Amino acid sequence: MEEVVSIEKATKKFKDKTAVDELSCSIQRGEVVAILGPNGAGKSTTILMMLGLLEPTEGKVEIFRMDPKEKAVREKIGAMLQEVSVIDTLTVKEIIQLFRSYYATPMDFEELVALTGLKKEEMKKRADKLSGGQKRRLGFALALAGDPDLLFFDEPTVGMDITARKRFWDTVKALKEKGKTIIFTTHYLQEADDVAERILLFHKGKVVADGTPHAIKNRLTKQSVSFIENSEVPLDEIRSLAIVSDVYVKNNRVIVVTEQTDDVLAYLFEKRLGVKGIEIEKGRLDEAFEQLTKNKEAI
Ligand SMILES: Nc1ncnc2c1ncn2[C@@H]1O[C@H](COP(=O)(O)OP(=O)(O)O)[C@@H](O)[C@H]1O
Ligand SMILES: [Mg+2]
């Protein structure tokens, strides 16, 4: 394994506001990592520190085992940030060519255009005449211009319509196939779940969960078996089972919270409790996300 990003107890303070709080993480070559979290969690600040555009107040951030400001690092990374500022008086094509000229081995121009979905007529447009979605595509093209090994996207799909969004993620998946390391932020859980193989969940400047979408989901989502309330069912006995984490009654239904729904069902049938209207609820990742970011003790 080759460590591409190493962050050790990095803290970033803006006056007395702590945006990133003793954050540590390590990212290996070829990983696709989603930094997920609500607004203000410190996602962008962390990206800016990895890009060397912000200095940590304390702690250490290294990219390819070097200071992010090193030229050797800059040549191997590309970024699409939340705020795109480009030279407004140039056309899209001119800006792309300019960016390509900064790199020793830029991406082939035609390939770049094909990957980012920029259209012929858009290439002739001046940057200040672009729509929000077109600006995003240009930003994407500029991130890829140097054919970098490591890519950062900060909330890349904001302002994109559904088609553009799908195209963007398809391209990201193709880049992943080429072995690129990709780090992106989002507050859309679905995007993290669909595209990333690892999620770093941020909350108040800290990583509160780190794992595959599947692992995070399994660890955090609650599942339940529910049935119509019935005076013959011994709620206390069910509550005392090791596989059951909670039992409560809601809208005339008994809800049995558990991680092992099959075992709870087996118990109910074995005891011949004659329960009716059985429903199984599988935990949802968006609920887990809400739970996590509301309540840190949940982890
Ligand atoms: N330049 C800045 N000056 C002061 N406070 C900032 C600055 N940048 C970010 N912050 C604050 O730091 C916190 C984290 O911000 P940010 O990293 O942008 O979060 P996210 O990208 O997760 O929404 C927020 O409370 C934000 O207001
Ligand atoms: Mg942000």
Side-chain angles (χ1 to χ4, degrees):
M1 288 215 285
E2 189 187 332
E3 192 176 47
V4 166
V5 173
S6 163
I7 303 180
E8 281 171 39
K9 288 203 161 187
T11 294
K12 180 66 192 178
K13 290 187 181 153
F14 295 106
K15 294 190 181 135
D16 48 5
K17 166 90 207 167
T18 304
V20 172
D21 190 5
E22 293 198 359
L23 186 136
S24 298
C25 80
S26 166
I27 293 169
Q28 313 301 316
R29 175 178 289 279
E31 279 195 290
V32 177
V33 179
I35 298 180
L36 179 69
N39 275 329
K43 305 182 296 294
S44 294
T45 304
T46 303
I47 295 271
L48 293 171
M49 288 195 292
M50 290 193 272
L51 290 169
L53 297 171
L54 280 178
E55 279 288 329
T57 315
E58 276 167 66
K60 199 165 80 176
V61 177
E62 281 189 345
I63 305 294
F64 303 118
R65 302 193 181 281
M66 286 178 272
D67 184 316
K69 290 192 295 298
E70 291 279 333
K71 188 165 176 283
V73 174
R74 298 254 153 128
E75 281 171 352
K76 289 204 282 183
I77 65 178
M80 178 170 160
L81 298 179
Q82 262 179 306
E83 262 123 72
V84 198
S85 58
V86 286
I87 310 130
D88 285 348
T89 52
L90 298 185
T91 67
V92 168
K93 184 171 181 178
E94 286 164 344
I95 294 170
I96 292 175
Q97 295 294 33
L98 178 65
F99 264 68
R100 288 181 66 253
S101 75
Y102 296 155
Y103 295 93
T105 54
M107 186 178 284
D108 174 73
F109 183 76
E110 298 302 326
E111 188 185 355
L112 189 57
V113 171
L115 272 179
T116 50
L118 280 161
K119 300 186 191 75
K120 259 220 164 78
E121 60 270 25
E122 289 174 344
M123 300 303 284
K124 295 184 210 124
K125 266 193 162 179
R126 270 175 49 167
D128 56 355
K129 300 280 193 293
L130 298 178
S131 71
Q134 290 172 329
K135 270 202 178 127
R136 294 263 98 184
R137 283 202 281 284
L138 174 58
F140 191 26
L142 299 183
L144 297 181
D147 197 13
D149 292 338
L150 171 59
L151 282 153
F152 296 93
F153 303 120
D154 195 1
E155 305 215 6
T157 57
V158 170
M160 285 186 191
D161 62 27
I162 293 176
T163 320
R165 204 170 271 226
K166 182 176 180 315
R167 184 183 184 106
F168 175 81
W169 290 121
D170 284 347
T171 308
V172 168
K173 285 173 191 163
L175 292 166
K176 173 188 171 174
E177 294 304 313
K178 286 173 77 177
K180 310 283 185 192
T181 310
I182 299 164
I183 300 170
F184 68 93
T185 73
T186 181
H187 51 250
Y188 298 115
L189 194 62
Q190 197 60 49
E191 292 187 340
D193 195 16
D194 284 349
V195 186
E197 55 206 14
R198 179 176 170 199
I199 294 177
L200 295 174
L201 184 57
F202 275 42
H203 185 52
K204 294 188 178 164
K206 285 186 181 295
V207 176
V208 295
D210 176 358
T212 63
H214 185 75
I216 289 184
K217 190 160 147 178
N218 270 357
R219 197 160 105 228
L220 296 163
T221 52
K222 289 200 172 133
Q223 302 178 22
S224 67
V225 174
S226 72
F227 48 85
I228 296 163
E229 195 180 10
N230 160 0
S231 60
E232 279 154 47
V233 176
L235 295 189
D236 285 338
E237 187 181 320
I238 297 177
R239 194 173 283 119
S240 68
L241 297 173
I243 52 168
V244 169
S245 48
D246 195 14
V247 177
Y248 59 95
V249 178
K250 190 177 158 189
N251 300 331
N252 297 324
R253 294 184 66 79
V254 176
I255 320 282
V256 181
V257 182
T258 177
E259 281 175 15
Q260 285 144 279
T261 51
D262 287 348
D263 294 346
V264 170
L265 284 177
Y267 166 87
L268 293 173
F269 293 132
E270 200 177 294
K271 291 267 167 180
R272 298 177 187 278
L273 292 172
V275 295
K276 293 211 168 62
I278 295 180
E279 285 175 13
I280 295 171
E281 184 85 45
K282 292 283 179 195
R284 298 207 323 259
L285 195 55
D286 55 351
E287 284 172 358
F289 178 50
E290 220 175 272
Q291 179 193 342
L292 246 186
T293 50
K294 265 192 200 149
N295 174 13
K296 250 175 67 181
E297 286 71 45
I299 320 145

